[in-house]
Structure formats: C-alpha cells, structure tokens
Amino acid sequence: ARSKHCSICNRCVARFDHHCGWINSDVGSGNLWKFLIFLLSTGAVCSYCSYLCYRVLYGIADKQQLFHLQIKLPTGEVTPIPYTYIFQYLAVFYGALVGLGCFCGLISLVLYGFFGYHVYLVCKNTTTSETFKWDDIK
C-alpha cells in the first residue's frame, strides 16, 4: 500500500515515504518536493560554510606568510614547508574553524547523497518505505 499510518504523527499519509525527524513530519506525496528542496538547500548552505571556512583559513595563512616559510633539510637543502605543516598549524591555533569547515563539508556530502538517493527513488517511482518492504520480501 502506498498510503501508510504514521505511528509517530498518528495520521495517515498518502504515498508515505518516511517520517523525518529533522523536519518533524512525514514525507509523502504532499511535501516530497519540499523535502528535496530542503535537502538540496541545506547541502548548499553547508558547502558554502565549508568554503567560507577555507577562505578565512587561507587568508590567515596568507597574511601570516605561511606559504613563504622554508625549512632546512638535514642535507642542507632549503625547501618550502609542506602544506601538511601549514594545516597542522591552522588546526592547532584555529581548531574550531578547521573543525567547522571539515564538519560542514562532510555533512554537505551526506546531504547530497540523500538528495541523490531520493531523486533516484522519484525516478523509479517508489518510496523509501516500499524499498524496505521489498528487502523484507526477498
């Protein structure tokens, strides 16, 4: 059956997909497109946040001239410091900003994955609830 009673909301939903805790509502035929826009826009905001963190950290590194620092190797050769050293420096002194950028970047990838999965389900004319039912039958 494409309609299902949601025990959490205590109501019947046409073409029930799933109950989403993030929007505290059921996703079905009436609001699936809104849910897809929610996933896409939240992913875009997280991507933008990650990009802003990168730009701020790059600006800090550039202002402190970290990209121009050099180290002397045991062989006597002078070489620019590796980018991993710059990242470690930024992670120690600007850890919250590095953490926020990495977290938002990771979350945006997960959100884009969810979005892609739900677009795939729309193209296949099925729902998340039906996919789990097919797995139970097999």
Side-chain angles (χ1 to χ4, degrees):
R2 297 203 120 180
S3 297
K4 186 179 174 199
H5 181 79
C6 178
S7 60
I8 299 170
C9 293
N10 197 25
R11 66 183 183 136
C12 289
V13 179
R15 201 162 191 272
F16 180 83
D17 191 84
H18 68 282
H19 180 86
C20 179
W22 294 104
I23 60 173
N24 194 27
S25 182
D26 299 312
V27 176
S29 64
N31 64 350
L32 180 61
W33 65 275
K34 292 177 186 175
F35 178 70
L36 290 174
I37 291 172
F38 168 74
L39 287 178
L40 190 61
S41 62
T42 307
V45 167
C46 286
S47 296
Y48 185 62
C49 176
S50 183
Y51 169 76
L52 288 179
C53 289
Y54 164 76
R55 292 297 300 165
V56 168
L57 289 168
Y58 185 87
I60 290 169
D62 192 41
K63 185 177 179 181
Q64 295 182 5
Q65 297 183 351
L66 298 178
F67 298 116
H68 303 292
L69 294 178
Q70 296 180 340
I71 57 173
K72 188 174 186 179
L73 299 176
T75 60
E77 180 185 354
V78 176
T79 182
I81 63 169
Y83 291 124
T84 55
Y85 289 8
I86 297 172
F87 180 77
Q88 287 174 356
Y89 171 82
L90 292 173
V92 167
F93 291 102
Y94 303 95
L97 197 56
V98 171
L100 178 65
C102 291
F103 177 75
C104 286
L106 181 65
I107 292 298
S108 68
L109 293 176
V110 170
L111 287 167
Y112 289 139
F114 282 153
F115 175 77
Y117 175 67
H118 280 281
V119 168
Y120 167 77
L121 289 178
V122 167
C123 292
K124 297 291 273 185
N125 195 25
T126 188
T127 64
T128 306
S129 178
E130 292 171 343
T131 351
F132 289 126
K133 287 180 184 175
W134 282 114
D135 288 342
D136 291 342
I137 292 173
K138 293 177 185 178

